[in-house]
Amino acid sequence: MLDLHGEHMNVRETRAVVGLALVYAFRMLGMFMVLPVLATYGQDLAGATPFLIGVAIGAYGLTQALLQIPFGTLSDRIGRMPVIIVGLLVFAAGAALAAEADSIWGVIAGRVLQGAGAISAAVMALLSDLTREQHRTKAMAVIGMSIGLSFAVAMVVGPLVTRAFGLSGLFWLTTGMALLGLLVILLVVPRASRTLAHRESSVARQSLGITLKNPELFRLNIGIGVLHAILMASFVALPLALVDLGGLPKEQHWWVYLTALLVGFCGMVPFIIYGEKKRQMKRVLVGAVSMLLLCELFFWQFGTSLHALVLGNVLFFAAFNLLEATLPSLVSKIAPAGGKGTAMGIYSTSQFLGAALGGMLGGWLYQQGSLDAVFIGCALLALLWLGFAATMREPPYVTSLRHPLSAAGLADPGLNARILAVPGVTDAIVVNEEAALYIKVDTQQLDRAWLERELEEAPVTQSA
């Protein structure tokens, strides 16, 4: 469990991780490629208004938010593969519907249907089924990196594809990537021998109420919702600002996003290292939210030239990437032992709701006022978030572990108390229905030898 021997993933696990990361990346590419182009190219669609374009930008988030937890629960009952296969087909159908649309309403319908292919929870659960305990954290990190990379690629590829083939071609490419993901699922990803209940990657319904009431997790849920609301609203305004104020043709926007993402990514790395090593994640979070606020104010007051807009984009994406990487880590630290899956499920729902509301808000503000109204609205959202972030506690710097138990281990009445007595163990819970012990440890204070001795006395079952 503690991965003391540095054992590598086997071939089956590697196939599972690579295959599922590709499925995630193909889907996220299709979802995000429209962001930098819909505000400009969408104006040519019949019935298009700024508000409806904003709705189209964020529409996927509404159905994604409503369905991702139910689909994850359904995958526990009927299996991961059927849910993922149907979800990819629904996503492809939504992209095809948008590709065939000649009105903004058709694109909205397609984006709503895309979001209904909500397979995120099922994919993460399948990843848990196909990997052993000691490799699960690494496997999930690979999935996280694939999401970040696909967002960066989408910001660059979206404008290039749309310049060459139009919005219809972009959506047809999205359809093709969803079907390619389906082939990966069918031909590359191994079949799981069994479906595992796993609280680190799936939602436990009995924990929903407690998790929703946790004030520190609530702050993070507000944060990710606001972050994606600002992102979607900003993409109603930024492409138009580059054209109208920066004088940059929409066909050339790709290099702005490429520059912003590359520089922004390099800029965020030192802050993540500082926050983790110095245990100053709250300071990093508050600083990044403040930067996001300043960026929106900068766009409002000074975003009247191409140079200013490029600089603003660089700073915006540096703050966005830092927050996007930091928030899930904070959720993992703050969630109680055995509660990460539930906390992440609510967190993801908040993210998608924020995306849906942000697109609508950005479109409405632009229609009612101007680009300035969008930037001011985003600044107010960032200011609201800053208030929540500034009052949060410094998070615990802990790592989650899971130890499978045999019947003898489950029958040991003193096991949980002995584990909690180990220096550096901050939380522990035995989950009988999973035959597992969940532990949270502070690695800098953990008496590893003591923990190993206690776990050796708790017989284990064979993990997946």
Side-chain angles (χ1 to χ4, degrees):
M1 180 202 70
L2 296 178
D3 196 18
L4 296 177
H5 307 295
E7 182 186 354
H8 295 296
M9 290 186 188
N10 60 36
V11 174
R12 186 170 183 269
E13 289 172 317
T14 302
R15 281 180 56 199
V17 172
V18 172
L20 292 175
L22 285 173
V23 170
Y24 238 114
F26 290 150
R27 187 170 171 276
M28 291 295 102
L29 269 171
M31 201 74 82
F32 289 136
M33 281 194 299
V34 303
L35 294 187
V37 299
L38 203 50
T40 49
Y41 287 87
Q43 295 175 358
D44 299 329
L45 295 167
T49 65
F51 173 69
L52 292 178
I53 288 174
V55 171
I57 288 175
Y60 78 94
L62 185 60
T63 42
Q64 184 89 3
L66 292 174
L67 295 175
Q68 66 140 353
I69 290 179
F71 276 17
T73 302
L74 182 63
S75 77
D76 291 335
R77 297 180 179 177
I78 69 172
R80 319 296 188 201
M81 285 295 189
V83 170
I84 294 172
I85 289 169
V86 170
L88 286 171
L89 289 172
V90 170
F91 183 87
L97 177 61
E100 285 292 293
D102 56 7
S103 73
I104 189 64
W105 290 106
V107 172
I108 291 172
R111 292 284 281 171
V112 168
L113 191 56
Q114 278 185 296
I119 61 171
S120 300
V123 169
M124 295 304 287
L126 180 59
L127 187 71
S128 293
D129 294 344
L130 293 171
T131 53
R132 289 167 292 169
E133 298 291 340
Q134 62 265 37
H135 298 308
R136 219 155 269 161
T137 300
K138 291 183 286 186
M140 290 181 180
V142 172
I143 296 289
M145 287 187 289
S146 76
I147 296 172
L149 181 61
S150 56
F151 176 79
V153 172
M155 292 298 101
V156 178
V157 172
L160 291 173
V161 172
T162 310
R163 180 179 68 178
F165 304 106
L167 270 179
S168 178
L170 182 69
F171 282 117
W172 280 123
L173 177 61
T174 298
T175 305
M177 287 191 297
L179 296 177
L180 186 58
L182 183 60
L183 288 177
V184 172
I185 284 291
L186 295 174
L187 302 177
V188 177
V189 177
R191 297 295 180 268
S193 57
R194 55 178 174 161
T195 297
L196 298 176
H198 197 302
R199 290 195 177 197
E200 293 297 278
S201 59
S202 60
V203 173
R205 284 180 294 176
Q206 61 269 36
S207 300
L208 279 171
I210 296 173
T211 306
L212 285 168
K213 293 176 184 177
N214 185 305
E216 296 303 310
L217 290 174
F218 178 76
R219 284 181 170 85
L220 299 179
N221 295 332
I222 290 291
I224 192 61
V226 169
L227 180 62
H228 279 259
I230 290 174
L231 178 69
M232 296 300 161
S234 295
F235 270 108
V236 173
L238 286 176
L240 297 174
L242 287 170
V243 173
D244 298 339
L245 303 177
L248 186 68
K250 58 188 178 183
E251 295 81 8
Q252 297 181 30
H253 288 191
W254 65 270
W255 69 260
V256 175
Y257 301 124
L258 177 61
T259 302
L261 285 163
L262 287 177
V263 177
F265 177 80
C266 295
M268 79 168 185
V269 172
F271 292 101
I272 292 178
I273 295 173
Y274 165 78
E276 288 288 354
K277 286 198 170 183
K278 300 296 184 181
R279 301 198 165 195
Q280 294 290 335
M281 291 304 296
K282 176 184 175 181
R283 180 178 294 181
V284 170
L285 177 70
V286 171
V289 177
S290 301
M291 176 59 72
L292 203 64
L293 169 61
L294 292 174
C295 284
E296 296 296 339
L297 295 175
F298 178 84
F299 286 133
W300 170 39
Q301 286 295 306
F302 305 107
T304 55
S305 69
L306 181 58
H307 288 96
L309 288 168
V310 171
L311 174 61
N313 270 276
V314 168
L315 297 175
F316 177 88
F317 279 109
F320 175 83
N321 288 336
L322 180 55
L323 291 164
E324 189 80 351
T326 299
L327 288 170
S329 172
L330 291 173
V331 172
S332 180
K333 293 179 193 310
I334 293 172
K340 180 182 174 182
T342 304
M344 287 303 300
I346 297 170
Y347 170 89
S348 297
T349 299
S350 303
Q351 171 184 325
F352 294 124
L353 280 175
L357 295 174
M360 297 177 192
L361 177 65
W364 181 79
L365 287 172
Y366 180 62
Q367 188 163 304
Q368 298 301 314
S370 61
L371 294 176
D372 286 348
V374 179
F375 296 136
I376 293 171
C378 288
L380 290 174
L381 283 175
L383 184 62
L384 171 68
W385 183 10
L386 186 60
F388 280 98
T391 55
M392 72 178 284
R393 298 176 182 174
E394 190 69 44
Y397 290 85
V398 292
T399 300
S400 299
L401 304 170
R402 183 181 187 270
H403 185 74
L405 297 173
S406 69
L410 289 171
D412 183 347
L415 175 62
N416 208 64
R418 294 199 308 274
I419 295 297
L420 285 170
V422 175
V425 173
T426 62
D427 195 10
I429 182 173
V430 174
V431 181
N432 290 313
E433 57 268 28
E434 293 184 33
L437 170 69
Y438 287 92
I439 314 170
K440 302 203 82 167
V441 301
D442 184 329
T443 54
Q444 289 190 8
Q445 300 178 18
L446 178 64
D447 188 325
R448 190 177 292 265
W450 186 345
L451 179 59
E452 287 288 350
R453 286 197 302 272
E454 295 294 345
L455 292 176
E456 284 173 2
E457 297 175 9
V460 303
T461 58
Q462 292 297 317
S463 57

